[in-house]
Amino acid sequence: MAQIAVNDSRARQMIREGATIAGVVYSCHPTPEGYTGPGCAPALRIQSENRTVDFLVDEEKGIVVETVTEITSNSGFPGE
């Protein structure tokens, strides 16, 4: 499963830019009514300085079917 995700050009680009593989997870994300994509799937989690990206994989098809990105900030907002 991880190899499928690492073969994705977006994952390779993140790794080239210094991101690290955090592990394999089962990733779920909110979906709107009528959504036809996967709401949950096994995923490779890659973390960089300010974002975490889950590359959701369809193991039968051997492809990344979706990415879920969480943006984090290293600097707090004023007043935090």
Side-chain angles (χ1 to χ4, degrees), residues 14 17-20 46-52 71-74:
M14 283 186 72
E17 292 172 354
T20 57
I46 300 179
Q47 294 178 317
S48 68
E49 196 172 292
N50 65 342
R51 66 184 167 152
T52 299
I71 304 295
T72 57
S73 176
N74 290 336

Side-chain angles (χ1 to χ4, degrees), residues 10 14 25-31 35 37-47 51-57 64-71:
R10 297 164 293 181
M14 283 186 72
V25 298
Y26 192 74
S27 180
C28 294
H29 60 91
T31 58
Y35 180 77
C40 296
L44 183 69
R45 179 165 288 168
I46 300 179
Q47 294 178 317
R51 66 184 167 152
T52 299
V53 181
D54 290 347
F55 290 84
L56 283 69
V57 170
V64 171
V65 290
E66 192 159 335
T67 61
V68 177
T69 303
E70 177 184 350
I71 304 295

